[in-house]
Amino acid sequence: MAIRKIVVLGDPNAGILRQKAKKVSRFDASIERLVKDMWDTMRDAPGVGLAAPQIGVPLRVLVAEYEDDRAVLINPEITKAEGEERGTEGCLSIPGYQGNNIRRATKITVKGRNEKGTPVKITATGHFARILQHEIDHLDGILYLDRLDRKEDLIEVSEEEEEETAPEGASVAKR
Ligand code: ZN
């Protein structure tokens, strides 16, 4: 079990949060280790999703877990997106804040590979779809801050309130 340090805005290496991550081309033991560490780090935070750039690794890898849904996605691509809904999001890399009224597709289909390199296809709706879209954004250097329609939608939150936000917040996952 290895918990890695989460990069937050303001850190000297926070630039990685704004870069486009690279595709994984070799599925070897280092990728399996990375995914394991990402699960450990995400659950320790705790959060419901984590993208590799958030632990300082510029690769297109994400993990997500919400209620009965769980996914490891490497080189993910959204192949279908339907509907639109607004919701609140927090981010482990932006502690102390949450964004309201963030628009995401209601239902998405994502293709990618798992840590073994096996092709996977996931269809997600609602909250889990929001988490996946948030994490895929991370792989392109996009933060929820970029998706705010109005400045007033960004609010400061206490630690307790923060635990109730999604997608990387905690208690939503435990509910
Ligand atoms: Zn995030």
Side-chain angles (χ1 to χ4, degrees), residues 18-32:
R18 289 314 207 165
Q19 287 165 17
K20 208 170 150 75
K22 290 195 184 74
K23 269 194 163 189
V24 171
S25 50
R26 274 186 54 196
F27 291 83
D28 55 17
S30 71
I31 293 298
E32 288 189 59

Side-chain angles (χ1 to χ4, degrees), residues 49-51 54 89-94 134-135 138 142-144 167-168:
L50 191 72
Q54 291 182 281
E89 298 187 13
C91 181
L92 294 172
S93 296
I94 313 171
H134 177 111
E135 304 310 332
H138 273 303
I142 297 166
L143 300 173
Y144 77 71
E168 287 173 14

Side-chain angles (χ1 to χ4, degrees), residues 23-144:
K23 269 194 163 189
V24 171
S25 50
R26 274 186 54 196
F27 291 83
D28 55 17
S30 71
I31 293 298
E32 288 189 59
R33 203 176 316 125
L34 170 66
V35 168
K36 243 183 223 151
D37 287 356
M38 286 175 65
W39 282 127
D40 292 344
T41 306
M42 184 197 84
R43 287 170 180 151
D44 177 71
V48 292
L50 191 72
Q54 291 182 281
I55 55 165
V57 177
L59 292 173
R60 303 186 78 77
V61 180
L62 69 83
V63 296
E65 183 176 53
Y66 177 68
E67 292 182 343
D68 294 331
D69 292 313
R70 185 168 302 132
V72 174
L73 282 165
I74 298 176
N75 305 337
E77 271 176 54
I78 296 175
T79 55
K80 202 173 169 191
E82 292 167 66
E84 186 184 279
E85 59 186 42
R86 288 173 180 271
T88 298
E89 298 187 13
C91 181
L92 294 172
S93 296
I94 313 171
Y97 291 88
Q98 71 178 35
N100 292 330
N101 299 310
I102 294 169
R103 279 182 284 178
R104 299 285 186 187
T106 306
K107 184 180 177 186
I108 57 166
T109 301
V110 191
K111 271 175 149 174
R113 290 179 187 270
N114 66 14
E115 67 271 42
K116 307 267 185 206
T118 309
V120 291
K121 186 176 160 185
I122 291 171
T123 297
T125 54
H127 231 76
F128 196 56
R130 176 172 296 273
I131 295 164
L132 294 179
Q133 290 169 85
H134 177 111
E135 304 310 332
I136 291 169
D137 267 357
H138 273 303
L139 306 181
D140 290 323
I142 297 166
L143 300 173
Y144 77 71

